[in-house]
Amino acid sequence: MTPHDTMTALKFRGPWDMALTEVPRLHATGPDDVVVDIAYTGICGTDLGVVSGSYPVAVPGVTLGHESTGIVAETGPEVTSVTVGDRVVINPTPYCGVCRMCRTNRINHCEGKHGTESGISYDGTYAHRYRTTSGFLRRVPDHIPLRAAALTEPLSCVVSGVRKLTPPSLSAHTVVFGAGPLGLLYAWALTLKGLSPVVVENAPARLAFATKVLPASIPAFASLDEARRSHFGDPAAPLDVVVDTTSGLLESLYEELAPGGTFLSIGLKSRAVSLDAMHLADRSLSVIGSIDSLHGSFDEAFHLVTSGRIPVERLVSHVVPIADYEEAFALLGCDIPGRTLTGAGTESCKVLIASGAEPAGEER
Ligand SMILES: [Zn+2]
Ligand SMILES: [Zn+2]
């Protein structure tokens, strides 16, 4: 390494303490290593929780960022699946394959993942370069922009959750709460399961963005009352399937679930609730938590992106250069210098940080 062989990375030093830092430039050192020049990384709700200290999972000193695409810059001698110059999407969640969780179809809870999870315990992709191994990259077809493929990882988490739902019928009253990226991806993915979801979002700017990008077949409303009256035609319509991206609704909507109904909780805000166990059994309810990718969900999501079945690029509201990361976080209500996290006050959805390796045709 020469003294000038450095690159920029956005380091997490502790809650509200982030810094663009010059660090040694990454190279392919192992035989199966691949180094990627990063193009785009989506800002995830996880990042907002980490930065604000409300989701204290990241190791201080780590480079954040895990929803990403880029261009292969270096490969180790044994790599055959990608070559230098390939446009790729990164699966940021390696798993060991041998622990009990991995052997029993729970790779998202791999017992060996500490130290390997990008942007949490392993240096992630808010940086010029990222190092992984060849099995965690997929080549992006020419017709798919890298900014679209950057949504593969969040969609993979959505696919994991949708797999766990067994709706009672295709006419299930289905409501997704929250019109952030995950809410909108859930709404789209649920249509592929044969359901007809509606989205409820009480932040006016978020609702306006959702209304613009969702197809007419997925209406969005400012409140559950409004959704019930204007969409289900019944102010007391029972709820068959609820997806809560906000962490805040389980207790208040529990009694409103129809018999056989399902509540899928995917938010990551800590909140204690009290539920009646008799009601759970008596009404055959399901309360399900879901996070991360499961076996095959990354490839399933990648197929939904590359086939165009879910037009993920519509969710990209902003692309911001890494040097202006504070502005990018502020678009999502995360004011780093002011140390406050509020709801997004702008018409934002998926905000991408651009690290510099933007391919021709995708310049800002
Ligand atoms: Zn994420
Ligand atoms: Zn494992």
Side-chain angles (χ1 to χ4, degrees):
M1 192 181 88
T2 67
H4 300 296
D5 195 19
T6 63
M7 64 176 206
T8 303
L10 179 56
K11 290 283 176 188
F12 168 74
R13 302 191 293 201
W16 301 116
D17 186 6
M18 308 275 291
L20 283 172
T21 309
E22 284 300 298
V23 298
R25 194 172 168 82
L26 290 167
H27 296 287
T29 49
D32 189 39
D33 279 359
V34 180
V35 168
V36 178
D37 282 337
I38 297 299
Y40 304 107
T41 303
I43 299 182
C44 175
T46 305
D47 298 323
L48 304 181
V50 164
V51 170
S52 64
S54 64
Y55 185 53
V57 293
V59 177
V62 81
T63 303
L64 300 185
H66 61 269
E67 302 178 353
S68 35
T69 52
I71 297 172
V72 173
E74 293 181 15
T75 57
E78 288 176 10
V79 174
T80 55
S81 55
V82 292
T83 54
V84 171
D86 281 350
R87 302 156 75 250
V88 290
V89 60
I90 295 163
N91 180 345
T93 322
Y95 53 93
C96 76
V98 296
C99 75
R100 183 168 173 274
M101 287 295 113
C102 285
R103 285 186 281 108
T104 53
N105 296 319
R106 287 170 278 183
I107 58 170
N108 53 331
H109 296 292
C110 172
E111 291 162 15
K113 80 175 174 181
H114 186 79
T116 69
E117 240 187 319
S118 300
I120 298 290
S121 57
Y122 177 83
D123 282 335
T125 61
Y126 293 142
H128 288 150
R129 280 190 161 191
Y130 170 80
R131 182 164 60 209
T132 184
T133 49
S134 62
F136 295 96
L137 296 172
R138 299 287 177 274
R139 273 211 311 266
V140 177
D142 291 344
H143 69 282
I144 299 296
L146 287 186
R147 54 180 72 189
L151 277 92
T152 304
E153 193 275 341
L155 182 57
S156 170
C157 300
V158 167
V159 166
S160 294
V162 169
R163 279 187 193 173
K164 296 178 184 174
L165 294 172
T166 46
S169 86
L170 294 182
S171 65
H173 290 166
T174 304
V175 186
V176 176
F177 288 89
L182 285 183
L184 301 190
L185 291 175
Y186 260 102
W188 252 301
L190 289 166
T191 66
L192 301 181
K193 191 111 175 168
L195 296 173
S196 311
V198 301
V199 173
V200 171
E201 169 62 62
N202 56 21
R206 279 249 143 135
L207 179 63
F209 186 86
T211 306
K212 264 187 234 164
V213 301
L214 287 170
S217 56
I218 308 178
F221 299 96
S223 69
L224 177 59
D225 279 351
E226 196 189 326
R228 280 173 153 156
R229 271 185 279 107
S230 30
H231 190 73
F232 300 125
D234 172 2
L239 307 177
D240 296 310
V241 176
V242 171
V243 177
D244 179 17
T245 71
T246 75
S247 301
L249 299 169
L250 177 54
E251 200 162 13
S252 61
L253 294 182
Y254 186 62
E255 301 279 337
E256 311 213 24
L257 290 171
T262 301
F263 190 100
L264 187 67
S265 186
I266 61 146
L268 283 171
K269 294 195 185 89
S270 178
R271 189 179 175 103
V273 297
S274 144
L275 302 177
D276 180 344
M278 182 187 75
H279 188 82
L280 186 70
D282 194 38
R283 293 170 71 91
S284 307
L285 303 179
S286 302
V287 176
I288 300 174
S290 188
I291 187 175
D292 293 340
S293 299
L294 288 170
H295 268 294
S297 67
F298 192 87
D299 287 279
E300 198 172 341
F302 188 50
H303 173 79
L304 296 177
V305 171
T306 57
S307 64
R309 293 186 76 192
I310 299 186
V312 292
E313 198 180 3
R314 286 198 212 165
L315 302 192
V316 176
S317 59
H318 301 81
V319 181
V320 179
I322 190 168
D324 302 326
Y325 74 91
E326 286 185 354
E327 180 195 310
F329 276 77
L331 288 165
L332 297 166
C334 184
D335 174 4
I336 297 174
R339 297 182 164 228
T340 54
L341 179 62
T342 55
T346 54
E347 281 193 27
S348 62
C349 191
K350 184 53 81 181
V351 176
L352 300 181
I353 288 197
S355 285
E358 294 160 87
E362 288 197 59
E363 298 87 354
R364 282 183 301 279

